[in-house]
Amino acid sequence: MTHASDTTTRGWSLGPVIHPGRIVAWTLLALGAVVMMVPLVYMVATSFKYPNEVYELNIIPHEPTLDNYTYIFQNTRFGIWFVNSLLTSSLVTVSVLFFDSLVGYTLAKFKFRGREFVFIAILTTLMIPTEMLIVPWYIMAKNFGWLNSYWGIMFPGLITGFGVFLMRQFFSGIPDDYIHAARIDGLNEFQIWWKVAMPLVTPALSALAIFTFLGNWTAFLWPLIATNDRALYTVPVGLASFSGEFLSDWELIMTGATLATLPTLIVFIIFQRYIIRGVVLAGLKG
Amino acid sequence: MAELTLKNVVKRYGNIEIVHGINLDIKDGEFVVLVGPSGCGKSTTLRMIAGLESLSSGTISIGDRVVNTLEPKDRNIAMVFQNYALYPHMTVFRNIAFGLHAAKLPKDAIDKKVREAAKLLGLSELLERRPNELSGGQRQRVAMGRAIVRDPTVFLFDEPLSNLDAQLRGQMRTEIKRLHQSIGTTIVYVTHDQVEAMTLADRIVIMRDGRIEQVGTPLDVFHAPVSTFVAGFIGTPTMNLIALPVRQSGGNATLAFSDQDVLPLSTEVVRRIGNRDRVTVGIRPDDLVITPADAARERQGTRLEGTVVVAEPLGVTTQVIARVGDHELVGMADGRFVPQAGAPVALTCDVARLHLFDPETQRSLAS
């Protein structure tokens, strides 16, 4: 209103006043967006290019083609790798949501001797880098005969310290009265967790689902080590095999990468509204 | 329905004893309010009755059954929580029906019970809403509905009105009382609000530091408090409690507020005081009538003179804080009399209505 009356008295209008701080913020955001987007745009663009055009910087291909897509499905095992990735990532995600929330709930809502010690022990696992764990995992997998199997790819991620930590924090925020009320209503402890506590932490479950799925979908090092059967490769491992010692099929790698982003997009689109709703609810509760 | 008996109930957390051997008999259909300041053990006691806390020693019986080791669900109790504990992801109907579903009742029976309870509580139109679409009072009613449908032998209420604003609290108080009259189930109700306790209870249990200080009807505890704690806790405004010297001479005695302001005491009161030279006197503000200083000269009997510190007009009455000697006393004046600070006033009280306490033990000097 103030702006409107200002401009009428002056007799001319520049529209709403833009604060310099906003200009700086927008510029930084725009730069950030460009830095993030350019590689993605080139990835998608390259997937529609012929090999001779790959090293040119043009975004729109001179002769757009779907050959790469037909090739990748007809002449490579990309389809199988895609299914492998989908299967392992989904199973790991389900397992993480189930077990991490079960452990997190127990640590948050049950008082028992050694509770803090267990929690801290789980937290310390977050401080060990994956590279250090690769060798022990490999020895385990080899001794148990898990190499070259789905189980071998999945087992290190089935329960995560991070997930337990996240879920414990969220469950701690649930008032005990909900649990007491359910206990008086006659639910057993497992039912209380499943029917009362879990629906109250959907935002956290959504976030954990996204993190876990994406983490496993893009995992490279462990699946590479755990498998040498090409039929068991996951997408990132399979794509890496397009890159040879002397030449790389960039247009195929980019096509595979473009296809590989689709499930991650879908997962994000499905779960993000729960996350946003969770944030909104948390803000209104006070 | 059933009686509820607590025998030597003790609760310890590690080495710290929170509840020190409580004994209480609650009759079938009685409405008992546990009241006391924060940390007095009233909620812990309620939670032990509910089975949400274990007993360190003692027994709790519902009917003729000792329930110490029974799970909450097997005690046939229902509880209404301070924050209502309504499941936000379920509709009002599902919230009320939740316990019945858990008990695996047939669908028709659940539907019938929920609709009856909803009708009783005026929730019929709201059954498909979620808790976040309800007002505070409606949420409270849903919480009560959830308790009612289970036909419990004992209802437990844990500070159910403390999240509501003053007006709604008054309304809900009436509704709870009406509910008790219509269903007649034994109720144990915890609150820190003495007005709630006075208005709702058949009997009030006043707790302090994990012990029962006094049990009695609301009028008992108001008119015959056993200690300065109960006297100060029950009643608004708070009772004036002051330790005063007793001057005795030849069978007559006076209470000295200051050198000039003395209150002559009756032989009955003198007998209660015995040979003490000090006594803690309790005067309810409503028993201390404040009048303009000159008008009081014409009055008979027991009057003190003081100056006004603050006068707070309340409409029908004016609450006046007046200074008498070194003491500040709260009294009541007619609503049309609002004296200025510093104005001289007369304070008149009926000596028969004085409450007398031992200044050492703080216990009442019984008549």
Coordinates of all heavy atoms in Angstrom, one line a residue, chain B residues 33-37 173 191-201 204 206 218 221-222 230-239 284:
Chain B
V33 N -10.7 -35.9 44.0 CA -9.7 -35.1 43.3 C -8.4 -35.1 44.1 O -8.4 -34.8 45.3 CB -10.3 -33.6 43.1 CG1 -9.2 -32.7 42.5 CG2 -11.5 -33.6 42.2
L34 N -7.3 -35.4 43.4 CA -6.0 -35.3 44.1 C -5.5 -33.9 43.7 O -5.4 -33.6 42.5 CB -5.0 -36.3 43.6 CG -5.4 -37.8 43.6 CD1 -4.3 -38.7 43.1 CD2 -5.8 -38.2 45.0
V35 N -5.2 -33.1 44.7 CA -4.7 -31.7 44.4 C -3.5 -31.4 45.2 O -3.3 -32.0 46.2 CB -5.9 -30.7 44.6 CG1 -6.2 -30.6 46.1 CG2 -5.6 -29.4 44.1
G36 N -2.7 -30.6 44.6 CA -1.4 -30.2 45.3 C -0.5 -29.5 44.3 O -0.8 -29.5 43.1
P37 N 0.5 -28.9 44.8 CA 1.4 -28.2 44.0 C 2.3 -29.1 43.1 O 2.3 -30.3 43.3 CB 2.3 -27.4 44.9 CG 2.3 -28.2 46.2 CD 0.9 -28.8 46.2
R173 N -15.6 -28.0 33.1 CA -15.8 -28.4 34.5 C -17.2 -28.9 34.7 O -17.5 -30.0 35.2 CB -15.5 -27.2 35.4 CG -14.5 -27.6 36.5 CD -14.0 -26.4 37.2 NE -14.8 -25.3 37.4 CZ -14.3 -24.0 37.4 NH1 -13.1 -23.8 37.2 NH2 -15.1 -23.0 37.6
T191 N -5.4 -32.5 39.7 CA -5.3 -31.1 39.2 C -4.4 -30.3 40.2 O -4.2 -30.8 41.3 CB -6.7 -30.4 39.1 OG1 -6.5 -29.1 38.7 CG2 -7.4 -30.5 40.4
H192 N -3.9 -29.2 39.7 CA -3.2 -28.4 40.7 C -4.0 -27.1 41.0 O -3.7 -26.3 41.7 CB -1.8 -27.9 40.1 CG -1.9 -27.2 38.9 ND1 -1.8 -27.7 37.6 CD2 -2.1 -25.9 38.7 CE1 -2.0 -26.8 36.7 NE2 -2.2 -25.7 37.3
D193 N -5.2 -27.1 40.4 CA -6.1 -26.0 40.5 C -7.1 -26.2 41.6 O -8.0 -27.1 41.4 CB -6.8 -25.8 39.1 CG -7.7 -24.6 39.1 OD1 -8.0 -24.1 40.2 OD2 -8.2 -24.2 38.0
Q194 N -7.0 -25.5 42.7 CA -7.9 -25.8 43.8 C -9.4 -25.4 43.5 O -10.3 -26.0 44.1 CB -7.4 -25.1 45.0 CG -7.1 -23.6 44.9 CD -8.3 -22.8 45.4 OE1 -9.2 -23.3 46.1 NE2 -8.3 -21.5 45.0
V195 N -9.6 -24.5 42.5 CA -11.0 -24.2 42.2 C -11.6 -25.4 41.6 O -12.8 -25.8 41.9 CB -11.1 -23.0 41.2 CG1 -12.5 -22.7 40.8 CG2 -10.5 -21.8 41.9
E196 N -10.9 -26.1 40.6 CA -11.4 -27.3 40.0 C -11.7 -28.4 41.1 O -12.7 -29.0 41.1 CB -10.3 -27.9 39.1 CG -10.6 -27.7 37.6 CD -9.4 -28.1 36.8 OE1 -8.9 -29.2 36.8 OE2 -8.9 -27.2 36.0
A197 N -10.7 -28.5 42.0 CA -10.9 -29.5 43.1 C -12.2 -29.2 43.9 O -13.0 -30.1 44.2 CB -9.7 -29.5 44.0
M198 N -12.3 -27.9 44.3 CA -13.5 -27.6 45.1 C -14.8 -27.8 44.4 O -15.8 -28.3 45.0 CB -13.4 -26.1 45.5 CG -12.3 -25.7 46.5 SD -12.6 -26.3 48.1 CE -13.8 -25.2 48.7
T199 N -14.9 -27.5 43.1 CA -16.1 -27.5 42.4 C -16.5 -28.9 42.0 O -17.7 -29.2 41.8 CB -16.1 -26.6 41.2 OG1 -14.9 -26.9 40.4 CG2 -16.1 -25.1 41.5
L200 N -15.5 -29.8 41.7 CA -15.8 -31.1 41.1 C -15.9 -32.2 42.2 O -16.7 -33.1 42.0 CB -14.7 -31.5 40.1 CG -14.7 -30.8 38.8 CD1 -13.4 -31.1 38.1 CD2 -15.9 -31.1 38.0
A201 N -15.2 -32.1 43.2 CA -14.9 -33.3 44.1 C -16.1 -33.6 45.0 O -16.7 -32.7 45.5 CB -13.7 -33.1 44.9
I204 N -11.8 -34.3 48.5 CA -10.6 -33.7 48.0 C -9.4 -34.4 48.8 O -9.5 -34.6 50.0 CB -10.5 -32.2 48.2 CG1 -11.5 -31.5 47.3 CG2 -9.1 -31.7 47.9 CD1 -11.5 -30.0 47.5
I206 N -5.6 -33.6 49.5 CA -4.6 -32.6 49.3 C -3.2 -33.3 49.6 O -3.0 -33.8 50.6 CB -4.8 -31.4 50.2 CG1 -6.2 -30.8 49.8 CG2 -3.7 -30.4 50.1 CD1 -6.8 -30.0 50.9
P218 N -15.1 -30.9 50.1 CA -14.6 -29.5 49.8 C -14.8 -28.6 50.9 O -13.9 -27.8 51.3 CB -15.3 -29.1 48.5 CG -15.6 -30.4 47.8 CD -15.9 -31.4 48.9
V221 N -12.4 -29.3 54.0 CA -11.0 -28.8 53.8 C -11.0 -27.2 53.8 O -10.0 -26.6 54.2 CB -10.2 -29.4 52.6 CG1 -10.1 -30.8 52.7 CG2 -11.0 -29.0 51.3
F222 N -12.1 -26.7 53.4 CA -12.1 -25.2 53.3 C -12.3 -24.6 54.8 O -11.6 -23.7 55.2 CB -13.2 -24.7 52.4 CG -13.3 -23.2 52.3 CD1 -12.5 -22.6 51.4 CD2 -14.2 -22.5 53.0 CE1 -12.5 -21.2 51.2 CE2 -14.3 -21.1 52.9 CZ -13.4 -20.5 51.9
V230 N -2.6 -26.6 53.9 CA -4.0 -26.8 53.3 C -4.7 -25.4 53.4 O -5.4 -25.0 52.4 CB -4.8 -27.8 54.1 CG1 -6.2 -27.9 53.6 CG2 -4.1 -29.2 54.0
A231 N -4.6 -24.7 54.5 CA -5.3 -23.4 54.6 C -4.8 -22.5 53.5 O -5.7 -21.8 52.9 CB -5.0 -22.9 56.0
G232 N -3.5 -22.5 53.2 CA -3.0 -21.6 52.2 C -3.3 -22.0 50.8 O -3.4 -21.2 49.9
F233 N -3.5 -23.4 50.6 CA -3.7 -23.9 49.3 C -5.1 -23.8 48.8 O -5.4 -23.6 47.7 CB -3.2 -25.4 49.3 CG -3.0 -25.9 47.9 CD1 -1.9 -25.6 47.2 CD2 -4.0 -26.7 47.3 CE1 -1.8 -26.0 45.9 CE2 -3.9 -27.1 46.0 CZ -2.8 -26.8 45.3
I234 N -6.1 -24.0 49.8 CA -7.5 -24.1 49.4 C -8.1 -22.7 49.7 O -7.9 -22.1 50.7 CB -8.2 -25.2 50.2 CG1 -7.7 -26.5 49.8 CG2 -9.7 -25.1 49.9 CD1 -8.0 -27.1 48.5
G235 N -8.8 -22.2 48.7 CA -9.5 -20.9 48.8 C -8.8 -19.8 48.1 O -7.6 -19.7 48.0
T236 N -9.6 -19.0 47.4 CA -9.1 -17.8 46.7 C -9.9 -16.6 47.1 O -11.1 -16.7 47.2 CB -9.3 -17.9 45.2 OG1 -9.7 -19.2 44.8 CG2 -8.2 -17.4 44.4
P237 N -9.2 -15.5 47.4 CA -7.8 -15.3 47.5 C -7.2 -16.1 48.7 O -8.0 -16.6 49.5 CB -7.6 -13.8 47.8 CG -9.0 -13.2 47.7 CD -10.0 -14.3 47.7
T238 N -5.9 -16.3 48.7 CA -5.3 -17.1 49.7 C -5.5 -16.6 51.1 O -5.6 -15.4 51.3 CB -3.8 -17.1 49.5 OG1 -3.6 -17.4 48.1 CG2 -3.1 -18.2 50.3
M239 N -5.7 -17.5 52.1 CA -5.9 -17.1 53.4 C -4.7 -16.3 54.0 O -3.6 -16.6 53.6 CB -6.1 -18.4 54.3 CG -6.4 -18.2 55.7 SD -6.3 -19.7 56.7 CE -7.9 -20.4 56.4
R284 N -9.5 -15.9 56.5 CA -9.9 -15.8 55.1 C -10.2 -14.4 54.7 O -10.9 -13.7 55.5 CB -11.2 -16.7 54.9 CG -11.0 -18.1 55.1 CD -11.0 -18.9 53.8 NE -10.7 -20.3 54.1 CZ -9.7 -21.0 53.5 NH1 -8.9 -20.4 52.7 NH2 -9.6 -22.3 53.8

